[in-house]
Amino acid sequence: MAQNTPDETLSLLTRLSQKPGVQSTLVLSRETGAIVRTSGLISNSTSANPNSTLPASSGAAPENYTNGKKEGGIQSAEDVASMVWSFISAASSLVEGLDKEDEVKLLRLRTKKNELVIVPDPKFILVVIHDTPPA
Amino acid sequence: MESTTMQQRREEILAKKAKLEELKRQRLLRKEQNQARQSIGSPSPSEVLQPTPRRTDNDKRDLDDLIYNLVGVGGSRPNSTQPGSPAGGRATRPHSVISASQLSSDGEAPASTSYQVPVSGMVDREMQTLSIAPLATVFEYDGNEVHASKKEKEVITYSKGVQASIDWSPPKSRGAGGSDSERDESPTRSPRASKRLSRRQKERDEEIRAQLKKEIEEEVRAAQKAAEAGEIQAGSKENYPFKTLNNEELTAVENSDDFIEFVERSTKVLERALDQQLDYDILADYAHGGLDVDEEDEGYGSSGAKRGRRIKEIAQFWDERWSKKRMISDLGFSTKFPELVLASYTKNPSAPHDPDGLIQVWNLHMHDRPEYIFHAQSDILTAKFSPFHPNLIIGGAYSGQVLLWDTRAKSSPVQKTPLTGSGHTHPVYSLDIVGTQNANNIISASTDGVVCGWTVDMLSQPQEFLELTSPPPAKTDDMAVTCIAFPQSDPTYFLAGTEEGSIYPCHRYDRAGAKAGVDGRVKYAGHAAPVMSLDFHPAKGQVDLGDLVLSSSVDWSVKLWKVRPPAATGPSNASAPGAAQQVTPILDIAREDLVYDARWSPVKPSVFALVDGAGSLEVWDINVDVEVPVQKVTPSDSKRGAFASMPSGLGYMNRSLNKLAWERNEGKRVAVGGMDGVVTVFEVGGDLGGMETRGEEWSGVKRLVGRLEAVGEGVNGK
């Protein structure tokens, strides 16, 4: 309720991206697919706007970073963005297929290595990739 | 008539020849291009297509559609190729149906995987009028092929397959949404024209078509293999309507209300999601791990206790930005959402630009961040959720204001009483909401003895105004009220604790035998120092214990009182007017430190909890013991409180706990908070909280009270 200024909004995102275990965050525009904010992801320098990058979690040390992600091929913000985009489209059509008036509110995708939490909204999409307890 | 037909025929033949020539050329070209393609890697279709200035608008459109088809993403996308292209999804695509059949019937070159734009551009223009294939031939492509090529989005060639998947449209519409570009250019045949085709030509067409089909199938197969081999250079990027924002756009987006609201909402959801994960991992595999065995009795400070009586710390709340250098002045659980705890704070003396008053609503499922933050101009001394409206929070301020916040609104109060005039002019340390769902009032008490009644709808003017004065034997009229408490059963009568230590019964209205205000006939005397809290027993069981009151004081004691029903005070007073009847506590529990707060469990009749200046939370069960608590714990130091950086020698001051609150529905959770601004929530075991209470617990308390009363009377010599 109290957060009304862009600065504080940003600090919220920064906080989130610096929570322990959080590898990367990504804010997309739903309409254009444009990347609004990222953290912990490598952007293709040519196409991305450096201003949209936030500091990543300090907990995600470089070693961690590469371990977790290079293997999986998740490196570039654009790649993640496009994959998330199509994932959401697929999920949306699934939900719509089940019930026309329903909509996707939250996607949690557990993988062997980490978890993606996706919050789709009419205008934006927030994605967090974070470590899960070893299981 | 005849001559025109003849002429057309001639034209057709001419065109046919041209076409055959072109066919050869294309074959050659295709080979070249295939080689080129392999070396280059498939160029994005839009690039290839762009150098075709001669195209008509229609064609361009078709191209775009083709691209979209191939790229296969619905919705909006940046129109890189042509301004005229349809922005919408597939629905708006021009009908591309016929071209497939046209292609094959034309006997053109077998489909190739690339666009042969320049060539086709030249040749096709001559053939605009030709029509060769019967429309029906389109259907000859079987479904399998269609699907196969559809799956292979990268294989740009098989636009025919893609076309087939599109809704059929009237034959006269132009074809070729998905087809190779030169084919789009090829004759716009009207059905009329096709009738005039010679049989021979038809036969030849069939032949070529069959050949074409074979080739297509081959290529599809090849493409599939390639795809399986993982050689798709795909293009998630091609598929993805990706756009980079420049700085201005970025700022615009980030300043939009939509974005701010979205971040506010979505980060909350995510934090909950992440915190939930910490509590329990639903994917836990006990067969494999074996490491974290559920700690049954490992709750903080529960060493050696029976399981039912353990107390476990479950959460601590502290916010770097807001909790810093503030003390907790009040705590309360929401009745509607038992996971929400509100904490009110005093001002931060080193941040003069921050609002003095602060309320944070914490969520037990979100550990690092408050669910809501509310502000006020003046220190908030007391606050609680309205029991009748889950969205409303009511608070009392140092300035004497009573404030109302709404969780649906912003952080500033939606309503507040005026600073001057009819309300309080002294700090409001105590307030309550009494009445029923449909008729309730806020009752607030300030330290000058003024008690006001307000309605939630209108805080501009008090509905009731009552000034409490000390009854006759006192030296002054002034009465410094520190706390008030209402019994469960009677909203017109309350107790007021004072700074001098006495507790007085008060009436809100005139009633038989008593005027509104302090009832001077009874005085509960016992405390030697300011009364810090008063709490009526929340009797909800089979035995009525509603007349039991717990009081705490900074005289290092907690006292249990049995209050006289207000009506019963009348007759006894008549006999001895002027002489206040002194009532002593039935139980006096001395503690080892200042006692700041003591509260009954909302469900267990014999259980209460207290917090003291040494920083301990004690839980008592008077059925078990009236001299020692059954449990005593201190909040852990894991959270950085306001004094965390100070040397531990200062431990005494900083650990002090000011307030405690029970979760009202189940009585299993207790929140405590104090000087260091940290809210700590404990969960108590089944003997001390939880819904199921046994009958004997109630009767046990009743018996105990009877016994204590008898003892008290014996001591008093009555």
Side-chain angles (χ1 to χ4, degrees):
Chain A
M1 288 288 112
Q3 284 76 16
N4 289 317
T5 67
D7 277 352
E8 289 182 29
T9 307
L10 278 192
S11 75
L12 280 180
L13 281 172
T14 314
R15 261 175 50 88
L16 186 67
S17 65
Q18 289 178 333
K19 266 179 94 88
V22 173
Q23 287 178 1
S24 47
T25 62
L26 184 66
V27 182
L28 301 178
S29 159
R30 185 114 192 212
E31 278 166 66
T32 60
I35 294 171
V36 184
R37 286 277 154 187
T38 60
S39 75
L41 290 168
I42 303 152
S43 290
N44 292 352
S45 51
T46 46
S47 53
N49 188 329
N51 282 358
S52 63
T53 310
L54 289 166
S57 167
S58 52
E63 318 109 80
N64 254 343
Y65 198 76
T66 40
N67 278 358
K69 283 189 287 170
K70 285 257 161 81
E71 282 173 55
I74 307 170
Q75 303 154 308
S76 116
E78 288 80 4
D79 284 351
V80 180
S82 69
M83 284 183 274
V84 162
W85 177 281
S86 44
F87 182 47
I88 288 179
S89 319
S92 306
S93 60
L94 165 74
V95 169
E96 202 171 305
L98 292 174
D99 182 350
K100 271 258 155 61
E101 278 146 38
D102 213 348
E103 66 179 300
V104 181
K105 298 291 281 182
L106 179 70
L107 292 167
R108 297 185 80 157
L109 183 66
R110 265 302 267 281
T111 66
K112 208 166 162 188
K113 285 177 183 154
N114 44 34
E115 185 185 49
L116 273 85
V117 188
I118 303 169
V119 187
D121 200 65
K123 298 217 165 125
F124 299 98
I125 298 162
L126 175 61
V127 187
V128 163
I129 302 173
H130 72 106
D131 295 327
T132 46
Chain B
M1 184 70 194
E2 186 78 334
S3 63
T4 45
T5 349
M6 279 307 290
Q7 201 174 338
Q8 274 176 345
R9 186 63 45 96
R10 222 173 292 138
E11 270 171 17
E12 278 170 11
I13 292 163
L14 259 174
K16 199 79 215 170
K17 278 178 189 164
K19 201 154 208 184
L20 277 169
E21 246 176 295
E22 200 233 335
L23 193 104
K24 282 174 198 160
R25 265 207 335 247
Q26 278 182 344
R27 277 223 167 107
L28 266 176
L29 209 104
R30 185 164 61 93
K31 266 177 202 159
E32 282 169 15
Q33 277 181 339
N34 270 342
Q35 281 163 354
R37 190 165 53 102
Q38 269 157 10
S39 55
I40 296 168
S42 75
S44 100
S46 59
E47 279 171 79
V48 185
L49 288 173
Q50 251 153 352
T52 57
R54 275 167 302 164
R55 274 159 202 288
T56 63
D57 242 342
N58 241 355
D59 296 329
K60 288 171 182 177
R61 235 212 239 150
D62 291 340
L63 278 183
D64 279 355
D65 288 321
L66 163 62
I67 293 156
Y68 292 157
N69 243 341
L70 297 172
V71 168
V73 184
S76 57
R77 48 179 85 75
N79 299 326
S80 54
T81 24
Q82 300 297 338
S85 65
R90 288 176 178 135
T92 53
R93 198 169 294 130
H95 325 280
S96 51
V97 187
I98 326 166
S99 60
S101 71
Q102 288 171 344
L103 284 183
S104 48
S105 61
D106 290 347
E108 279 184 5
S112 74
T113 41
S114 54
Y115 298 89
Q116 296 126 350
V117 173
V119 181
S120 62
M122 284 158 54
V123 179
D124 289 347
R125 265 182 305 149
E126 299 174 36
M127 310 199 299
Q128 286 294 1
T129 50
L130 275 189
S131 70
I132 303 166
L135 293 166
T137 47
V138 180
F139 295 100
E140 287 179 8
Y141 292 101
D142 59 19
N144 286 339
E145 217 179 289
V146 167
H147 291 305
S149 52
K150 237 172 94 184
K151 271 177 222 150
E152 306 305 325
K153 280 174 185 166
E154 303 79 17
V155 185
I156 315 158
T157 329
Y158 298 104
S159 38
K160 292 176 205 90
V162 177
Q163 286 168 0
S165 73
I166 297 158
D167 287 348
W168 291 96
S169 54
K172 60 173 173 276
S173 66
R174 278 217 71 250
S179 84
D180 285 354
S181 43
E182 84 272 7
R183 275 145 203 159
D184 301 352
E185 299 275 303
S186 58
T188 21
R189 304 155 190 94
S190 66
R192 186 165 45 97
S194 71
K195 270 182 221 153
R196 288 188 217 108
L197 270 178
S198 72
R199 179 160 298 170
R200 225 189 64 214
Q201 274 174 327
K202 270 185 190 169
E203 278 168 5
R204 259 182 53 196
D205 288 345
E206 289 293 335
E207 231 171 85
I208 294 162
R209 206 179 298 131
Q211 205 183 331
L212 191 67
K213 194 175 163 186
K214 215 184 280 171
E215 278 189 56
I216 289 169
E217 274 167 352
E218 266 164 38
E219 284 208 47
V220 166
R221 240 173 275 136
Q224 264 174 327
K225 264 179 213 158
E228 276 159 28
E231 292 199 351
I232 326 159
Q233 321 125 307
S236 50
K237 233 162 281 164
E238 275 175 11
N239 280 340
Y240 181 62
F242 171 69
K243 178 175 179 263
T244 307
L245 298 175
N246 60 32
N247 277 345
E248 279 160 40
E249 285 169 323
L250 204 61
T251 356
V253 168
E254 276 168 8
N255 284 310
S256 70
D257 288 346
D258 279 337
F259 183 73
I260 289 168
E261 201 190 307
F262 164 73
V263 169
E264 176 74 28
R265 228 172 330 126
S266 60
T267 52
K268 257 184 210 170
V269 172
L270 270 166
E271 295 215 12
R272 285 181 212 148
L274 297 184
D275 284 340
Q276 189 195 8
Q277 192 104 57
L278 297 178
D279 292 342
Y280 183 68
D281 182 9
I282 51 169
L283 287 181
D285 187 348
Y286 295 109
H288 284 198
L291 279 174
D292 25 351
V293 183
D294 199 13
E295 350 85 86
E296 230 2 302
D297 267 271
E298 268 185 70
Y300 192 85
S302 66
S303 51
K306 274 188 356 191
R307 254 188 70 191
R309 291 189 197 156
R310 75 196 160 126
I311 302 183
K312 197 172 141 192
E313 184 178 305
I314 53 170
Q316 283 198 310
F317 302 117
W318 197 76
D319 185 78
E320 178 70 30
R321 165 80 176 84
W322 288 108
S323 300
K324 214 175 187 174
K325 298 203 174 162
R326 294 175 189 261
M327 291 182 281
I328 284 169
S329 55
D330 207 355
L331 292 167
F333 276 90
S334 166
T335 43
K336 177 82 181 290
F337 308 104
E339 65 272 24
L340 298 184
V341 194
L342 78 75
S344 64
Y345 298 81
T346 60
K347 68 165 158 285
N348 175 356
S350 59
H353 298 299
D354 279 354
D356 281 355
L358 171 72
I359 288 179
Q360 294 185 101
V361 179
W362 297 94
N363 185 343
L364 286 174
H365 300 302
M366 190 159 75
H367 297 176
D368 292 339
R369 173 183 165 195
E371 193 79 26
Y372 298 108
I373 297 178
F374 299 107
H375 296 151
Q377 298 294 319
S378 171
D379 299 39
I380 308 295
L381 302 174
T382 179
K384 53 174 43 130
F385 281 102
S386 165
F388 304 110
H389 200 308
N391 291 115
L392 299 183
I393 292 170
I394 292 131
Y398 190 79
S399 61
Q401 285 171 296
V402 175
L403 307 106
L404 184 74
W405 295 270
D406 192 323
T407 53
R408 297 161 296 187
K410 303 276 180 199
S411 62
S412 48
V414 289
Q415 270 200 80
K416 57 187 172 191
T417 61
L419 266 174
T420 54
S422 45
H424 298 285
T425 50
H426 279 64
V428 176
Y429 271 96
S430 187
L431 58 72
D432 206 349
I433 301 133
V434 294
T436 60
Q437 180 70 48
N438 293 324
N440 51 67
N441 287 101
I442 301 168
I443 308 292
S444 57
S446 56
T447 51
D448 58 349
V450 170
V451 173
C452 290
W454 316 81
T455 61
V456 174
D457 303 326
M458 192 190 69
L459 291 183
S460 59
Q461 187 112 31
Q463 305 287 297
E464 296 165 30
F465 184 89
L466 195 61
E467 193 157 4
L468 304 180
T469 54
S470 288
K475 293 198 176 74
T476 63
D477 268 3
D478 296 338
M479 192 166 131
V481 177
T482 53
C483 53
I484 56 170
F486 282 84
Q488 298 299 309
S489 51
D490 187 356
T492 68
Y493 157 79
F494 62 92
L495 289 183
T498 64
E499 275 180 19
E500 42 106 17
S502 307
I503 299 163
Y504 294 100
C506 308
H507 301 285
R508 272 169 74 191
Y509 310 110
D510 290 344
R511 66 158 84 199
K515 276 196 156 334
V518 174
D519 188 339
R521 297 163 299 183
V522 183
K523 174 180 167 187
Y524 300 95
H527 284 297
V531 180
M532 297 311 289
S533 77
L534 279 172
D535 195 26
F536 272 89
H537 197 283
K540 263 188 281 182
Q542 35 191 268
V543 181
D544 183 17
L545 302 170
D547 55 354
L548 293 182
V549 173
L550 205 58
S551 68
S552 67
S553 164
V554 288
D555 67 356
W556 296 30
S557 74
V558 175
K559 296 187 198 308
L560 179 65
W561 310 81
K562 188 170 163 56
V563 299
R564 308 289 167 89
T569 56
S572 69
N573 188 45
S575 57
Q581 190 188 357
Q582 296 239 349
V583 178
T584 51
I586 57 168
L587 184 60
D588 190 341
I589 303 168
R591 298 310 308 139
E592 292 116 34
D593 213 306
L594 315 171
V595 184
Y596 284 116
D597 204 358
R599 300 281 160 188
W600 290 106
S601 158
V603 290
K604 296 278 184 187
S606 58
V607 174
F608 69 89
L610 65 86
V611 287
D612 64 23
S616 317
L617 163 70
E618 295 181 351
V619 180
W620 292 69
D621 187 338
I622 52 174
N623 274 350
V624 172
D625 204 318
V626 293
E627 282 168 0
V628 285
V630 292
Q631 268 303 333
K632 181 170 176 169
V633 289
T634 38
S636 67
D637 293 329
S638 56
K639 279 269 169 165
R640 332 115 284 195
F643 298 91
S645 53
M646 293 200 180
S648 53
L650 286 162
Y652 161 68
M653 264 295 275
N654 64 42
R655 311 211 60 164
S656 160
L657 290 177
N658 291 347
K659 285 286 174 184
L660 91 93
W662 287 89
E663 191 275 301
R664 309 300 303 179
N665 298 332
E666 281 192 327
K668 283 192 84 93
R669 285 170 181 163
V670 190
V672 299
M675 298 278 284
D676 59 0
V678 178
V679 182
T680 310
V681 181
F682 293 96
E683 191 166 88
V684 298
D687 287 358
L688 303 175
M691 289 307 283
E692 66 284 356
T693 56
R694 289 163 314 209
E696 61 215 65
E697 291 178 33
W698 293 89
S699 49
V701 177
K702 190 77 184 169
R703 273 201 308 278
L704 174 73
V705 169
R707 218 163 50 233
L708 290 170
E709 268 186 311
V711 170
E713 276 162 17
V715 167
N716 287 347
K718 283 181 185 171

